Amino acid sequence: MRRLFRFLKANFQAFGRHWSVYVLLVVSINLVLTSLIVPGLTWGVNRLLVVNGIGYLTYTNFVSVLTKHPLVLISLVLLVLLICGLVYIQMAFLFRQIKRIQEQTPASQWQLLKQSGHDLLTLKPLTMLIMIGYFLLILPFGQIIFKSVLLNKVTIPAFIIQDMWTTPKIWGPIILVYTLALILSIRLITFLPETIFNKKLSTTRLLQKCWQTTRGRFWRLLIKVGVLAIAITLVGVLSQLLFFNLQRYYDQNLPHYALLLAILNLFILANSIINPNRN
């Protein structure tokens, strides 16, 4: 228990030393994603469906659409690859920013963004292929550590998962998939940073290093991830209560500015790390 408290204390202290920079970084990234990238991708998909005379695309007509419109299938595959590439650039940019903040090294935003794009272009083909599977199959189960709103566009929607749980016959396969994904998300928890900062390693050596790093530490890492998830959720809930009470104060004492302040509060909650429901 003491180790867990020390773990939390060390992480909160590290965050507290540069908390304003971290918050600004996360808010800025999410603002770009939610205001520019995601709407652009949504428009592209909608335009693709309109051009091909498809009224809508859901899991109920997904197979029939792909069999009757092969060009749509090709376009969607390319779109998924594009999203995975953007997720990698986002993560690389975030990691490089955090490293810059911790080491206090000078570097412009544009330099770090170009370096992040270069990170993607210099990935080995096999590493890139594994990375795509990592994003689509493993990362969604470990989003407490690495999270991106872009992945919501290419992963199975939550309502489909909930609908699958209503069929007891497939509980076994679902539990098996969840268990395997959870195990891999912990055993390969260093995979994403390693691909960014250790590009000289071969794909096989990279996977071996990740596996060796977490060998014998699975339960310890799982507990730390769980504790970190609970702590982040509690901070998020407390922050939402704080903003709610602040808004009540604004409504009662600053009615002329209440609407503007409400918009500001909602913006912070929607785009910052303190929102436990942020996708």
Side-chain angles (χ1 to χ4, degrees):
M1 187 62 68
R2 290 182 178 179
R3 290 183 179 180
L4 291 177
F5 280 119
R6 286 199 296 267
F7 168 73
L8 285 175
K9 182 180 179 181
N11 280 275
F12 278 114
Q13 285 179 341
F15 175 77
R17 282 193 290 269
H18 306 285
W19 70 270
S20 59
V21 182
Y22 288 132
V23 170
L24 180 61
L25 173 63
V26 174
V27 169
S28 301
I29 291 176
N30 280 290
L31 181 61
V32 171
L33 292 177
T34 57
S35 301
L36 297 176
I37 306 300
V38 172
L41 293 172
T42 302
W43 178 86
V45 173
N46 292 336
R47 188 61 185 170
L48 175 66
L49 297 179
V50 170
V51 170
N52 288 273
I54 302 172
Y56 65 95
L57 181 63
T58 66
Y59 72 100
T60 58
N61 69 335
F62 186 76
V63 176
S64 62
V65 167
L66 297 186
T67 55
K68 296 178 181 178
H69 301 273
L71 290 180
V72 174
L73 172 60
I74 296 174
S75 300
L76 290 177
V77 170
L78 293 176
L79 184 64
V80 169
L81 295 178
L82 173 62
I83 291 175
C84 289
L86 291 174
V87 171
Y88 185 83
I89 292 175
Q90 174 196 352
M91 295 298 176
F93 180 76
L94 184 61
F95 278 123
R96 291 190 176 280
Q97 282 282 19
I98 293 174
K99 184 178 180 181
R100 180 191 67 81
I101 293 170
Q102 292 177 341
E103 297 178 354
Q104 295 292 294
T105 55
S108 67
Q109 307 296 320
W110 179 242
Q111 287 176 330
L112 292 176
L113 186 60
K114 287 198 301 183
Q115 183 61 55
S116 302
H118 183 263
D119 291 336
L120 174 65
L121 296 176
T122 54
L123 279 178
K124 298 177 179 63
L126 181 57
T127 304
M128 187 176 295
L129 183 63
I130 295 175
M131 181 65 66
I132 293 172
Y134 180 81
F135 283 153
L136 299 181
L137 303 176
I138 300 175
L139 195 58
F141 296 89
Q143 290 199 36
I144 292 299
I145 306 299
F146 310 124
K147 192 170 186 177
S148 175
V149 67
L150 292 172
L151 287 177
N152 295 335
K153 305 301 176 184
V154 293
T155 53
I156 301 175
F159 73 91
I160 295 181
I161 299 295
Q162 293 173 358
D163 184 63
M164 292 171 65
W165 279 111
T166 61
T167 307
K169 293 181 179 180
I170 60 174
W171 283 2
I174 294 176
I175 294 174
L176 179 61
V177 170
Y178 267 81
T179 302
L180 290 175
L182 177 62
I183 292 173
L184 290 176
S185 67
I186 298 297
R187 293 303 306 268
L188 298 178
I189 198 170
T190 62
F191 177 68
L192 188 53
E194 290 287 354
T195 62
I196 298 171
F197 297 113
N198 286 320
K199 290 190 171 295
K200 293 182 180 180
L201 295 179
S202 65
T203 304
T204 303
R205 182 70 187 98
L206 192 67
L207 291 172
Q208 288 176 345
K209 183 178 180 182
C210 296
W211 205 258
Q212 291 171 356
T213 301
T214 57
R215 178 178 296 174
R217 302 175 59 197
F218 175 81
W219 293 110
R220 191 186 310 170
L221 289 172
L222 181 61
I223 291 173
K224 286 184 176 181
V225 170
V227 170
L228 190 60
I230 293 172
I232 292 175
T233 301
L234 288 176
V235 171
V237 171
L238 292 175
S239 300
Q240 288 188 342
L241 291 174
L242 174 63
F243 278 99
F244 175 75
N245 286 290
L246 281 175
Q247 191 57 47
R248 288 184 60 185
Y249 173 82
Y250 298 149
D251 292 339
Q252 296 172 2
N253 299 279
L254 299 170
H256 297 294
Y257 302 99
L259 178 60
L260 178 62
L261 292 170
I263 295 173
L264 178 61
N265 285 344
L266 289 173
F267 172 80
I268 295 174
L269 286 172
N271 293 282
S272 71
I273 57 177
I274 62 176
N275 180 9
N277 300 315
R278 182 173 60 85
N279 293 321

